[in-house]
mmCIF file of all heavy atoms in Angstrom:
data_model
loop_
_atom_site.group_PDB
_atom_site.id
_atom_site.type_symbol
_atom_site.label_atom_id
_atom_site.label_comp_id
_atom_site.label_asym_id
_atom_site.label_seq_id
_atom_site.Cartn_x
_atom_site.Cartn_y
_atom_site.Cartn_z
ATOM 1 N N SER A 295 104.168 111.399 157.585
ATOM 2 C CA SER A 295 103.335 111.348 158.781
ATOM 3 C C SER A 295 104.244 111.306 160.010
ATOM 4 O O SER A 295 104.995 110.352 160.203
ATOM 5 C CB SER A 295 102.421 110.120 158.753
ATOM 6 O OG SER A 295 103.174 108.941 158.645
ATOM 7 N N GLY A 296 104.207 112.357 160.795
ATOM 8 C CA GLY A 296 105.037 112.397 161.994
ATOM 9 C C GLY A 296 106.473 112.816 161.707
ATOM 10 O O GLY A 296 106.835 113.179 160.591
ATOM 11 N N GLU A 297 107.287 112.758 162.722
ATOM 12 C CA GLU A 297 108.684 113.168 162.622
ATOM 13 C C GLU A 297 109.564 112.003 162.190
ATOM 14 O O GLU A 297 109.372 110.861 162.616
ATOM 15 C CB GLU A 297 109.166 113.681 163.982
ATOM 16 C CG GLU A 297 110.593 114.204 163.959
ATOM 17 C CD GLU A 297 111.041 114.683 165.321
ATOM 18 O OE1 GLU A 297 110.194 114.693 166.238
ATOM 19 O OE2 GLU A 297 112.233 115.019 165.465
ATOM 20 N N ILE A 298 110.511 112.295 161.315
ATOM 21 C CA ILE A 298 111.453 111.275 160.859
ATOM 22 C C ILE A 298 112.522 111.086 161.914
ATOM 23 O O ILE A 298 113.201 112.044 162.311
ATOM 24 C CB ILE A 298 112.081 111.682 159.511
ATOM 25 C CG1 ILE A 298 110.988 111.873 158.459
ATOM 26 C CG2 ILE A 298 113.085 110.639 159.060
ATOM 27 C CD1 ILE A 298 111.505 112.348 157.132
ATOM 28 N N GLN A 299 112.691 109.876 162.383
ATOM 29 C CA GLN A 299 113.586 109.592 163.497
ATOM 30 C C GLN A 299 114.977 109.201 163.007
ATOM 31 O O GLN A 299 115.135 108.646 161.935
ATOM 32 C CB GLN A 299 113.014 108.456 164.356
ATOM 33 C CG GLN A 299 111.643 108.778 164.946
ATOM 34 C CD GLN A 299 111.092 107.613 165.732
ATOM 35 O OE1 GLN A 299 111.724 106.560 165.850
ATOM 36 N NE2 GLN A 299 109.902 107.798 166.306
ATOM 37 N N GLN A 300 115.978 109.493 163.841
ATOM 38 C CA GLN A 300 117.366 109.103 163.634
ATOM 39 C C GLN A 300 117.875 109.479 162.236
ATOM 40 O O GLN A 300 118.333 108.652 161.471
ATOM 41 C CB GLN A 300 117.538 107.599 163.855
ATOM 42 C CG GLN A 300 117.239 107.149 165.266
ATOM 43 C CD GLN A 300 117.453 105.674 165.461
ATOM 44 O OE1 GLN A 300 117.803 104.955 164.522
ATOM 45 N NE2 GLN A 300 117.271 105.203 166.677
ATOM 46 N N GLN A 301 117.746 110.763 161.921
ATOM 47 C CA GLN A 301 118.238 111.232 160.635
ATOM 48 C C GLN A 301 119.752 111.435 160.669
ATOM 49 O O GLN A 301 120.322 111.841 161.678
ATOM 50 C CB GLN A 301 117.560 112.550 160.256
ATOM 51 C CG GLN A 301 116.066 112.403 159.974
ATOM 52 C CD GLN A 301 115.508 113.630 159.301
ATOM 53 O OE1 GLN A 301 116.130 114.170 158.396
ATOM 54 N NE2 GLN A 301 114.346 114.067 159.742
ATOM 55 N N ARG A 302 120.380 111.184 159.521
ATOM 56 C CA ARG A 302 121.819 111.392 159.396
ATOM 57 C C ARG A 302 122.100 112.846 159.049
ATOM 58 O O ARG A 302 121.341 113.482 158.316
ATOM 59 C CB ARG A 302 122.408 110.509 158.294
ATOM 60 C CG ARG A 302 122.743 109.092 158.711
ATOM 61 C CD ARG A 302 121.553 108.229 158.913
ATOM 62 N NE ARG A 302 121.912 106.816 159.022
ATOM 63 C CZ ARG A 302 121.056 105.858 159.310
ATOM 64 N NH1 ARG A 302 119.778 106.138 159.533
ATOM 65 N NH2 ARG A 302 121.466 104.610 159.381
ATOM 66 N N ARG A 303 123.216 113.365 159.578
ATOM 67 C CA ARG A 303 123.627 114.725 159.225
ATOM 68 C C ARG A 303 124.227 114.720 157.836
ATOM 69 O O ARG A 303 124.917 113.788 157.431
ATOM 70 C CB ARG A 303 124.648 115.261 160.218
ATOM 71 C CG ARG A 303 124.089 115.498 161.607
ATOM 72 C CD ARG A 303 125.130 116.153 162.526
ATOM 73 N NE ARG A 303 125.455 117.503 162.098
ATOM 74 C CZ ARG A 303 126.576 117.854 161.481
ATOM 75 N NH1 ARG A 303 127.483 116.935 161.177
ATOM 76 N NH2 ARG A 303 126.801 119.110 161.144
ATOM 77 N N LEU A 304 123.975 115.777 157.091
ATOM 78 C CA LEU A 304 124.496 115.914 155.736
ATOM 79 C C LEU A 304 125.782 116.730 155.779
ATOM 80 O O LEU A 304 125.856 117.763 156.454
ATOM 81 C CB LEU A 304 123.478 116.596 154.827
ATOM 82 C CG LEU A 304 122.133 115.885 154.659
ATOM 83 C CD1 LEU A 304 121.231 116.669 153.723
ATOM 84 C CD2 LEU A 304 122.343 114.475 154.132
ATOM 85 N N THR A 305 126.778 116.288 155.048
ATOM 86 C CA THR A 305 128.052 117.002 154.992
ATOM 87 C C THR A 305 127.969 118.146 153.995
ATOM 88 O O THR A 305 127.040 118.243 153.191
ATOM 89 C CB THR A 305 129.180 116.042 154.589
ATOM 90 O OG1 THR A 305 128.922 115.550 153.265
ATOM 91 C CG2 THR A 305 129.259 114.870 155.557
ATOM 92 N N ALA A 306 128.965 119.018 154.036
ATOM 93 C CA ALA A 306 129.000 120.166 153.126
ATOM 94 C C ALA A 306 129.125 119.708 151.673
ATOM 95 O O ALA A 306 128.521 120.305 150.771
ATOM 96 C CB ALA A 306 130.156 121.093 153.500
ATOM 97 N N ASP A 307 129.923 118.663 151.442
ATOM 98 C CA ASP A 307 130.077 118.159 150.069
ATOM 99 C C ASP A 307 128.751 117.652 149.508
ATOM 100 O O ASP A 307 128.423 117.910 148.346
ATOM 101 C CB ASP A 307 131.117 117.039 150.052
ATOM 102 C CG ASP A 307 132.515 117.538 150.351
ATOM 103 O OD1 ASP A 307 132.748 118.756 150.183
ATOM 104 O OD2 ASP A 307 133.358 116.717 150.758
ATOM 105 N N VAL A 308 128.000 116.949 150.336
ATOM 106 C CA VAL A 308 126.708 116.434 149.876
ATOM 107 C C VAL A 308 125.741 117.573 149.587
ATOM 108 O O VAL A 308 125.026 117.565 148.581
ATOM 109 C CB VAL A 308 126.122 115.455 150.918
ATOM 110 C CG1 VAL A 308 124.696 115.057 150.543
ATOM 111 C CG2 VAL A 308 126.996 114.229 151.056
#
Side-chain angles (χ1 to χ4, degrees):
S295 58
E297 183 181 355
I298 301 177
Q299 300 177 0
Q300 297 182 358
Q301 293 193 43
R302 276 73 167 174
R303 292 185 67 255
L304 300 181
T305 63
D307 292 339
V308 172

